[in-house]
Amino acid sequence: MKHCYEDIEGLKVHYTLQGDDGAAGERPAIVLMHGWGCSHETLQSIADVAAETHRVYNVDLPGFGQTPMPPDAWGVELYTQLIEKLVDRLGLQRPSLLGHSFGGRLAILYSSRRQVDKLILVDAAGVKPRRKPSYYWRVYSYKLSCRWLRLRYGAEEAERRIEAARQRRASADYLAAPPLMRRVLSRVVNEDLCHVMPQIKAPTLLIWGVNDTATPLADAKKMERLIPDAGLVEMERCGHYSFLDNPGQFQAVIRSFLRS
């Protein structure tokens, strides 16, 4: 395995390369994209299997692993553009893509407008969550209270109280992120990509944990309906990291798909 870096418009993007026999044209390429709060290391077991037949580019997305944060609060579009520029820089023709969770968003958008050999979506994000009215009330009341605190107190005290409120209400992913990445998460978490899914032409494999609560199985079934050439494999007793919960079954499934 090689550790590599590419400067993409001032951003030093890190990725690992496996399955490279020195002759770039002899093996097809696959690009792996991890989920939120993870890195290339999270997908290492997948990279090892894919490297049996492919050159594997396992990317650290900006803000994770060994790749610096983006210069601003990027959304899915700018993250996808970075992957497109990386693929062009590396000279990859019709690569396969694998995206887990947040990385699935990028794989979906990329595949909807560029040629891809095969697409694998693993417990992927991309379907906007269905929210109950109580969710929107909590969001509205939180924003209102933040505004009131800034009017009632000085800047330092107001921010202290607002941060305390965040600690009580926010998700673990949000709390673990630095300020810039919190803004990124706020942008991407509600981006709905259902409208581009019918434009995906590549054969698509959906692998999903039946017990996934972050991106529920209903999302996978909706993707299967919207993507023209898609098939779904449901992983029993698995959650959002199906490839870690049942590595044997997962590896058998992707090995068969990549060799077909």
PDB file of all heavy atoms in Angstrom, residues 164-186:
ATOM      1  N   ALA A 164     -23.615  25.702  25.508  1.00  0.00           N
ATOM      2  CA  ALA A 164     -24.217  24.775  26.470  1.00  0.00           C
ATOM      3  C   ALA A 164     -25.501  24.166  25.902  1.00  0.00           C
ATOM      4  O   ALA A 164     -25.769  22.971  26.083  1.00  0.00           O
ATOM      5  CB  ALA A 164     -24.504  25.502  27.784  1.00  0.00           C
ATOM      6  N   ALA A 165     -26.270  24.982  25.201  1.00  0.00           N
ATOM      7  CA  ALA A 165     -27.492  24.474  24.569  1.00  0.00           C
ATOM      8  C   ALA A 165     -27.163  23.472  23.468  1.00  0.00           C
ATOM      9  O   ALA A 165     -27.844  22.458  23.307  1.00  0.00           O
ATOM     10  CB  ALA A 165     -28.308  25.637  24.008  1.00  0.00           C
ATOM     11  N   ARG A 166     -26.105  23.744  22.692  1.00  0.00           N
ATOM     12  CA  ARG A 166     -25.686  22.809  21.650  1.00  0.00           C
ATOM     13  C   ARG A 166     -25.318  21.456  22.253  1.00  0.00           C
ATOM     14  O   ARG A 166     -25.630  20.403  21.696  1.00  0.00           O
ATOM     15  CB  ARG A 166     -24.473  23.361  20.889  1.00  0.00           C
ATOM     16  CG  ARG A 166     -24.749  24.515  19.962  1.00  0.00           C
ATOM     17  CD  ARG A 166     -23.601  24.715  19.009  1.00  0.00           C
ATOM     18  NE  ARG A 166     -23.717  25.966  18.281  1.00  0.00           N
ATOM     19  CZ  ARG A 166     -23.006  27.053  18.544  1.00  0.00           C
ATOM     20  NH1 ARG A 166     -22.113  27.066  19.530  1.00  0.00           N
ATOM     21  NH2 ARG A 166     -23.174  28.148  17.823  1.00  0.00           N
ATOM     22  N   GLN A 167     -24.604  21.490  23.371  1.00  0.00           N
ATOM     23  CA  GLN A 167     -24.172  20.247  24.003  1.00  0.00           C
ATOM     24  C   GLN A 167     -25.365  19.380  24.396  1.00  0.00           C
ATOM     25  O   GLN A 167     -25.271  18.154  24.393  1.00  0.00           O
ATOM     26  CB  GLN A 167     -23.323  20.561  25.247  1.00  0.00           C
ATOM     27  CG  GLN A 167     -22.000  21.253  24.975  1.00  0.00           C
ATOM     28  CD  GLN A 167     -21.015  20.364  24.235  1.00  0.00           C
ATOM     29  OE1 GLN A 167     -21.009  19.153  24.415  1.00  0.00           O
ATOM     30  NE2 GLN A 167     -20.172  20.964  23.410  1.00  0.00           N
ATOM     31  N   ARG A 168     -26.476  20.008  24.716  1.00  0.00           N
ATOM     32  CA  ARG A 168     -27.663  19.251  25.112  1.00  0.00           C
ATOM     33  C   ARG A 168     -28.442  18.726  23.913  1.00  0.00           C
ATOM     34  O   ARG A 168     -29.078  17.683  23.999  1.00  0.00           O
ATOM     35  CB  ARG A 168     -28.604  20.125  25.956  1.00  0.00           C
ATOM     36  CG  ARG A 168     -28.041  20.540  27.309  1.00  0.00           C
ATOM     37  CD  ARG A 168     -29.122  21.150  28.187  1.00  0.00           C
ATOM     38  NE  ARG A 168     -29.701  22.351  27.598  1.00  0.00           N
ATOM     39  CZ  ARG A 168     -29.248  23.583  27.795  1.00  0.00           C
ATOM     40  NH1 ARG A 168     -28.171  23.770  28.572  1.00  0.00           N
ATOM     41  NH2 ARG A 168     -29.838  24.629  27.230  1.00  0.00           N
ATOM     42  N   ARG A 169     -28.394  19.441  22.785  1.00  0.00           N
ATOM     43  CA  ARG A 169     -29.287  19.137  21.667  1.00  0.00           C
ATOM     44  C   ARG A 169     -28.614  18.483  20.473  1.00  0.00           C
ATOM     45  O   ARG A 169     -29.251  17.732  19.741  1.00  0.00           O
ATOM     46  CB  ARG A 169     -29.963  20.427  21.165  1.00  0.00           C
ATOM     47  CG  ARG A 169     -30.832  21.125  22.200  1.00  0.00           C
ATOM     48  CD  ARG A 169     -31.216  22.506  21.693  1.00  0.00           C
ATOM     49  NE  ARG A 169     -32.011  23.245  22.655  1.00  0.00           N
ATOM     50  CZ  ARG A 169     -33.239  23.669  22.454  1.00  0.00           C
ATOM     51  NH1 ARG A 169     -33.831  23.413  21.317  1.00  0.00           N
ATOM     52  NH2 ARG A 169     -33.890  24.343  23.370  1.00  0.00           N
ATOM     53  N   ALA A 170     -27.341  18.804  20.227  1.00  0.00           N
ATOM     54  CA  ALA A 170     -26.705  18.428  18.964  1.00  0.00           C
ATOM     55  C   ALA A 170     -26.308  16.947  18.944  1.00  0.00           C
ATOM     56  O   ALA A 170     -26.167  16.300  19.983  1.00  0.00           O
ATOM     57  CB  ALA A 170     -25.484  19.305  18.710  1.00  0.00           C
ATOM     58  N   SER A 171     -26.091  16.437  17.718  1.00  0.00           N
ATOM     59  CA  SER A 171     -25.658  15.052  17.538  1.00  0.00           C
ATOM     60  C   SER A 171     -24.196  14.897  17.924  1.00  0.00           C
ATOM     61  O   SER A 171     -23.436  15.874  18.000  1.00  0.00           O
ATOM     62  CB  SER A 171     -25.836  14.639  16.078  1.00  0.00           C
ATOM     63  OG  SER A 171     -24.925  15.359  15.249  1.00  0.00           O
ATOM     64  N   ALA A 172     -23.788  13.655  18.132  1.00  0.00           N
ATOM     65  CA  ALA A 172     -22.391  13.371  18.481  1.00  0.00           C
ATOM     66  C   ALA A 172     -21.450  13.804  17.355  1.00  0.00           C
ATOM     67  O   ALA A 172     -20.362  14.330  17.608  1.00  0.00           O
ATOM     68  CB  ALA A 172     -22.226  11.882  18.783  1.00  0.00           C
ATOM     69  N   ASP A 173     -21.858  13.588  16.099  1.00  0.00           N
ATOM     70  CA  ASP A 173     -21.029  14.005  14.960  1.00  0.00           C
ATOM     71  C   ASP A 173     -20.804  15.509  14.971  1.00  0.00           C
ATOM     72  O   ASP A 173     -19.695  15.992  14.725  1.00  0.00           O
ATOM     73  CB  ASP A 173     -21.698  13.597  13.640  1.00  0.00           C
ATOM     74  CG  ASP A 173     -21.504  12.125  13.325  1.00  0.00           C
ATOM     75  OD1 ASP A 173     -20.591  11.511  13.904  1.00  0.00           O
ATOM     76  OD2 ASP A 173     -22.268  11.601  12.500  1.00  0.00           O
ATOM     77  N   TYR A 174     -21.861  16.246  15.251  1.00  0.00           N
ATOM     78  CA  TYR A 174     -21.760  17.706  15.266  1.00  0.00           C
ATOM     79  C   TYR A 174     -20.842  18.169  16.387  1.00  0.00           C
ATOM     80  O   TYR A 174     -19.960  19.018  16.189  1.00  0.00           O
ATOM     81  CB  TYR A 174     -23.159  18.303  15.436  1.00  0.00           C
ATOM     82  CG  TYR A 174     -23.193  19.822  15.362  1.00  0.00           C
ATOM     83  CD1 TYR A 174     -23.337  20.472  14.143  1.00  0.00           C
ATOM     84  CD2 TYR A 174     -23.074  20.599  16.522  1.00  0.00           C
ATOM     85  CE1 TYR A 174     -23.359  21.861  14.072  1.00  0.00           C
ATOM     86  CE2 TYR A 174     -23.098  21.981  16.452  1.00  0.00           C
ATOM     87  CZ  TYR A 174     -23.241  22.608  15.228  1.00  0.00           C
ATOM     88  OH  TYR A 174     -23.256  23.982  15.166  1.00  0.00           O
ATOM     89  N   LEU A 175     -21.013  17.609  17.574  1.00  0.00           N
ATOM     90  CA  LEU A 175     -20.220  18.037  18.725  1.00  0.00           C
ATOM     91  C   LEU A 175     -18.748  17.688  18.571  1.00  0.00           C
ATOM     92  O   LEU A 175     -17.876  18.397  19.074  1.00  0.00           O
ATOM     93  CB  LEU A 175     -20.777  17.404  20.002  1.00  0.00           C
ATOM     94  CG  LEU A 175     -22.190  17.858  20.405  1.00  0.00           C
ATOM     95  CD1 LEU A 175     -22.660  17.063  21.599  1.00  0.00           C
ATOM     96  CD2 LEU A 175     -22.221  19.352  20.693  1.00  0.00           C
ATOM     97  N   ALA A 176     -18.456  16.602  17.866  1.00  0.00           N
ATOM     98  CA  ALA A 176     -17.066  16.173  17.703  1.00  0.00           C
ATOM     99  C   ALA A 176     -16.314  16.979  16.644  1.00  0.00           C
ATOM    100  O   ALA A 176     -15.089  16.934  16.586  1.00  0.00           O
ATOM    101  CB  ALA A 176     -17.017  14.693  17.337  1.00  0.00           C
ATOM    102  N   ALA A 177     -17.034  17.726  15.822  1.00  0.00           N
ATOM    103  CA  ALA A 177     -16.422  18.434  14.698  1.00  0.00           C
ATOM    104  C   ALA A 177     -15.937  19.824  15.107  1.00  0.00           C
ATOM    105  O   ALA A 177     -16.556  20.481  15.941  1.00  0.00           O
ATOM    106  CB  ALA A 177     -17.426  18.568  13.558  1.00  0.00           C
ATOM    107  N   PRO A 178     -14.834  20.290  14.498  1.00  0.00           N
ATOM    108  CA  PRO A 178     -14.422  21.685  14.695  1.00  0.00           C
ATOM    109  C   PRO A 178     -15.427  22.629  14.049  1.00  0.00           C
ATOM    110  O   PRO A 178     -16.269  22.185  13.244  1.00  0.00           O
ATOM    111  CB  PRO A 178     -13.051  21.754  14.004  1.00  0.00           C
ATOM    112  CG  PRO A 178     -13.041  20.610  13.052  1.00  0.00           C
ATOM    113  CD  PRO A 178     -13.916  19.541  13.635  1.00  0.00           C
ATOM    114  N   PRO A 179     -15.375  23.924  14.368  1.00  0.00           N
ATOM    115  CA  PRO A 179     -16.408  24.860  13.898  1.00  0.00           C
ATOM    116  C   PRO A 179     -16.675  24.827  12.400  1.00  0.00           C
ATOM    117  O   PRO A 179     -17.838  24.821  11.974  1.00  0.00           O
ATOM    118  CB  PRO A 179     -15.880  26.216  14.358  1.00  0.00           C
ATOM    119  CG  PRO A 179     -15.085  25.898  15.585  1.00  0.00           C
ATOM    120  CD  PRO A 179     -14.434  24.570  15.307  1.00  0.00           C
ATOM    121  N   LEU A 180     -15.622  24.806  11.576  1.00  0.00           N
ATOM    122  CA  LEU A 180     -15.842  24.800  10.133  1.00  0.00           C
ATOM    123  C   LEU A 180     -16.571  23.538   9.693  1.00  0.00           C
ATOM    124  O   LEU A 180     -17.508  23.591   8.880  1.00  0.00           O
ATOM    125  CB  LEU A 180     -14.509  24.918   9.385  1.00  0.00           C
ATOM    126  CG  LEU A 180     -14.589  24.797   7.852  1.00  0.00           C
ATOM    127  CD1 LEU A 180     -15.485  25.874   7.257  1.00  0.00           C
ATOM    128  CD2 LEU A 180     -13.204  24.849   7.225  1.00  0.00           C
ATOM    129  N   MET A 181     -16.167  22.386  10.227  1.00  0.00           N
ATOM    130  CA  MET A 181     -16.792  21.136   9.819  1.00  0.00           C
ATOM    131  C   MET A 181     -18.219  21.022  10.358  1.00  0.00           C
ATOM    132  O   MET A 181     -19.047  20.319   9.783  1.00  0.00           O
ATOM    133  CB  MET A 181     -15.935  19.950  10.266  1.00  0.00           C
ATOM    134  CG  MET A 181     -14.549  19.915   9.634  1.00  0.00           C
ATOM    135  SD  MET A 181     -14.579  20.021   7.810  1.00  0.00           S
ATOM    136  CE  MET A 181     -15.303  18.436   7.383  1.00  0.00           C
ATOM    137  N   ARG A 182     -18.511  21.725  11.446  1.00  0.00           N
ATOM    138  CA  ARG A 182     -19.909  21.777  11.898  1.00  0.00           C
ATOM    139  C   ARG A 182     -20.770  22.466  10.850  1.00  0.00           C
ATOM    140  O   ARG A 182     -21.897  22.048  10.576  1.00  0.00           O
ATOM    141  CB  ARG A 182     -20.004  22.521  13.234  1.00  0.00           C
ATOM    142  CG  ARG A 182     -19.460  21.770  14.429  1.00  0.00           C
ATOM    143  CD  ARG A 182     -19.636  22.572  15.710  1.00  0.00           C
ATOM    144  NE  ARG A 182     -19.190  21.826  16.877  1.00  0.00           N
ATOM    145  CZ  ARG A 182     -19.297  22.265  18.133  1.00  0.00           C
ATOM    146  NH1 ARG A 182     -19.832  23.464  18.370  1.00  0.00           N
ATOM    147  NH2 ARG A 182     -18.875  21.527  19.142  1.00  0.00           N
ATOM    148  N   ARG A 183     -20.220  23.529  10.264  1.00  0.00           N
ATOM    149  CA  ARG A 183     -20.966  24.233   9.216  1.00  0.00           C
ATOM    150  C   ARG A 183     -21.141  23.352   7.988  1.00  0.00           C
ATOM    151  O   ARG A 183     -22.189  23.363   7.335  1.00  0.00           O
ATOM    152  CB  ARG A 183     -20.253  25.535   8.864  1.00  0.00           C
ATOM    153  CG  ARG A 183     -20.327  26.586   9.974  1.00  0.00           C
ATOM    154  CD  ARG A 183     -19.320  27.719   9.742  1.00  0.00           C
ATOM    155  NE  ARG A 183     -19.440  28.306   8.422  1.00  0.00           N
ATOM    156  CZ  ARG A 183     -18.443  28.910   7.784  1.00  0.00           C
ATOM    157  NH1 ARG A 183     -17.237  28.998   8.351  1.00  0.00           N
ATOM    158  NH2 ARG A 183     -18.642  29.444   6.597  1.00  0.00           N
ATOM    159  N   VAL A 184     -20.104  22.576   7.662  1.00  0.00           N
ATOM    160  CA  VAL A 184     -20.213  21.639   6.542  1.00  0.00           C
ATOM    161  C   VAL A 184     -21.316  20.619   6.820  1.00  0.00           C
ATOM    162  O   VAL A 184     -22.180  20.368   5.967  1.00  0.00           O
ATOM    163  CB  VAL A 184     -18.865  20.912   6.312  1.00  0.00           C
ATOM    164  CG1 VAL A 184     -19.039  19.788   5.289  1.00  0.00           C
ATOM    165  CG2 VAL A 184     -17.790  21.888   5.841  1.00  0.00           C
ATOM    166  N   LEU A 185     -21.303  20.043   8.024  1.00  0.00           N
ATOM    167  CA  LEU A 185     -22.303  19.031   8.371  1.00  0.00           C
ATOM    168  C   LEU A 185     -23.713  19.604   8.296  1.00  0.00           C
ATOM    169  O   LEU A 185     -24.637  18.953   7.784  1.00  0.00           O
ATOM    170  CB  LEU A 185     -22.015  18.486   9.770  1.00  0.00           C
ATOM    171  CG  LEU A 185     -22.966  17.396  10.289  1.00  0.00           C
ATOM    172  CD1 LEU A 185     -22.960  16.194   9.350  1.00  0.00           C
ATOM    173  CD2 LEU A 185     -22.574  16.973  11.703  1.00  0.00           C
ATOM    174  N   SER A 186     -23.876  20.829   8.778  1.00  0.00           N
ATOM    175  CA  SER A 186     -25.197  21.467   8.728  1.00  0.00           C
ATOM    176  C   SER A 186     -25.673  21.639   7.290  1.00  0.00           C
ATOM    177  O   SER A 186     -26.883  21.572   7.015  1.00  0.00           O
ATOM    178  CB  SER A 186     -25.154  22.823   9.435  1.00  0.00           C
ATOM    179  OG  SER A 186     -24.878  22.662  10.812  1.00  0.00           O
TER     180      SER A 186
END
